[in-house]
Amino acid sequence: MKVGVFKFSSCDGCQLAFFDLSEEILRLSEKLEILYFLEASSKNVYDSFDISFVEGSISTQEEIERIKSIRERSKVLVAIGACAVSGGIQSARNFENYEEVFKEVYKDLEMENVLRNAYPISRYVKVDFSLFGCPINSDALKEFLISTLLGKSPMEISYPVCLECKRKGNPCVVVLKNALCLGPITRAGCGALCPSFRRGCYGCYGPIDKPNIDGFEEKFGKIDEAIKVSFNAFNPTYRGVFYED
């Protein structure tokens, strides 16, 4: 199985999941060959791929052209992490005044081909599978690789973080500390990391399908500006899923 790992506008954090699995990948080397991975190797072959993993959002015209080229060369395209799946932190600019933000950051610098908005890769190409999170969980990546090698459908998680808390025996931080926790409406997959350390989930895996906003608001009251920031810190293109302006 020929694999490519690609980066677009992002922090590189999701690619580190591959390094966490370095021993497992070495054991699978007879069945899995990573042809292209700039973060890991100076020798890269940009050829055809059975699977391409893509980190990062699309933020420039060049990236639009590059993601389309990768799609054409790939049998399966996997979006990894919040940036690739839903735009990531950089797509927060989609809801601000682009010129003001750009001048504040870059002063007198002029940049060509920078898009006014940053979008997930699914806006431009077909995505076959998504691994959620900021960053992704290496266990989820491992499960995907092994399932694919065995010819099985990878597991797709659609239940909320609360279920992971129950499995781990975590006391509910809402009950224990009356803390704001997005666990009831956030997709699981992190292993309930934040609630395990007695703090509320802040939604980095994005929303579950059809989140119960009415029930959430009944508990926490009107969604104010501070909560909106939590909802959209990692998954800004879900704006309107969690709440409406």
Side-chain angles (χ1 to χ4, degrees):
M1 188 169 69
K2 297 180 180 179
V3 174
V5 183
F6 300 91
K7 168 188 162 57
F8 287 77
S9 295
S10 61
C11 72
D12 293 28
C14 290
Q15 294 176 82
L16 296 181
F18 287 89
F19 294 97
D20 292 338
L21 298 179
S22 57
E23 292 184 4
E24 285 86 347
I25 290 175
L26 284 174
R27 285 197 291 267
L28 296 172
S29 59
E30 292 184 0
K31 298 181 179 180
L32 185 152
E33 181 183 10
I34 299 180
L35 294 181
Y36 192 98
F37 191 0
L38 293 179
E39 183 110 345
S41 176
S42 59
K43 297 180 180 180
N44 294 278
V45 179
Y46 187 59
D47 197 356
S48 58
F49 304 95
D50 294 303
I51 300 179
S52 288
F53 295 93
V54 178
E55 174 193 89
S57 65
I58 306 302
S59 300
T60 68
Q61 185 62 40
E62 181 272 335
E63 288 182 336
I64 295 178
E65 297 167 2
R66 188 155 58 95
I67 191 61
K68 290 180 178 179
S69 173
I70 293 170
R71 173 71 271 188
E72 291 174 356
R73 294 170 178 266
S74 307
K75 293 180 181 178
V76 175
L77 187 68
V78 182
I80 58 172
C83 294
V85 172
S86 62
I89 292 174
Q90 57 270 21
S91 65
R93 76 176 190 241
N94 297 8
F95 312 105
E96 305 294 338
N97 183 301
Y98 175 82
E99 285 78 12
E100 290 183 2
V101 172
F102 192 90
K103 289 179 180 179
E104 178 68 24
V105 175
Y106 295 107
K107 304 302 180 183
D108 299 326
L109 181 65
E110 294 185 5
M111 296 183 68
E112 298 180 357
N113 297 322
V114 176
L115 302 176
R116 299 177 71 87
N117 294 325
Y119 289 116
I121 62 176
S122 60
R123 184 178 180 91
Y124 301 100
V125 297
K126 178 179 180 291
V127 172
D128 299 301
F129 197 84
S130 296
L131 295 176
F132 296 85
C134 185
I136 63 170
N137 188 319
S138 59
D139 289 336
L141 175 60
K142 179 180 177 180
E143 197 279 331
F144 178 88
L145 288 171
I146 292 177
S147 293
T148 302
L149 286 170
L150 292 175
K152 297 170 54 181
S153 296
M155 180 177 65
E156 295 189 63
I157 296 177
S158 58
Y159 50 81
V161 172
C162 290
L163 183 55
E164 290 186 318
C165 271
K166 293 296 184 183
R167 287 173 173 170
K168 297 185 73 172
N170 290 340
C172 178
V173 295
V174 177
V175 175
L176 189 68
K177 301 175 63 176
N178 197 32
L180 170 64
C181 181
L182 305 188
I185 54 177
T186 297
R187 186 184 304 272
C190 65
L193 181 61
C194 291
S196 296
F197 288 90
R198 305 296 189 266
R199 65 148 292 163
C201 166
Y202 51 89
C204 67
Y205 271 60
I208 57 173
D209 297 333
K210 299 180 180 180
N212 183 5
I213 301 300
D214 292 338
F216 188 82
E217 288 189 331
E218 184 178 343
K219 170 61 184 176
F220 291 104
K222 181 178 174 59
I223 300 179
D224 59 22
E225 289 301 319
I227 299 177
K228 288 181 182 180
V229 171
S230 296
F231 279 157
N232 291 283
F234 298 93
N235 298 277
T237 55
Y238 282 128
R239 193 179 179 96
V241 173
F242 281 134
Y243 68 90
E244 294 180 1
D245 286 332

